[in-house]
Amino acid sequence: MSVALMWEARAAEGRGEELLAWARAQELAAAPVRRETFRAPADRVLVVTWWDAAPDAELPELPAPPEELVARAPHRWRFESVDLA
């Protein structure tokens, strides 16, 4: 089974590049099958990691960034893969 963890944060005013660099530098305790980092308007940063794991498995996640880098706390979502029938 595949699980995707999504982490999204909005940078504080003028701190978008710093937040992006911070997110890219974060190492996880274990390596996911795949990891992608995205940026979006309004200085938002999104990190998606894919894991071969059960939906409720304990998986390493990105921590909260330093408060001065973000306009709000990060949002986190967990999705499980589904087969199309």
Side-chain angles (χ1 to χ4, degrees), residues 31-64:
V33 172
R34 187 167 130 204
R35 175 177 172 163
E36 290 190 56
T37 303
F38 303 87
R39 68 171 141 200
D43 286 331
R44 289 177 292 135
V45 174
L46 172 69
V47 179
V48 182
T49 56
W50 286 265
W51 305 85
D52 283 331
D56 59 351
E58 293 272 337
L59 298 170
E61 296 190 41
L62 265 66

Side-chain angles (χ1 to χ4, degrees), residues 4 9-10 13 17 21 24 26 28-30 32 37 39 45 52-53 55-56 58 60 66 70-71 74 80 83 85:
R10 182 171 181 184
E13 184 72 31
E17 288 300 319
R24 294 179 76 189
Q26 299 309 298
L28 299 171
T37 303
R39 68 171 141 200
V45 174
D52 283 331
D56 59 351
E58 293 272 337
V70 293
E80 65 181 277
D83 291 325

Side-chain angles (χ1 to χ4, degrees), residues 11-12 14-24 39 43 45 69:
R15 307 291 296 261
E17 288 300 319
E18 290 175 81
L19 179 61
L20 178 61
W22 179 90
R24 294 179 76 189
R39 68 171 141 200
D43 286 331
V45 174
L69 289 183

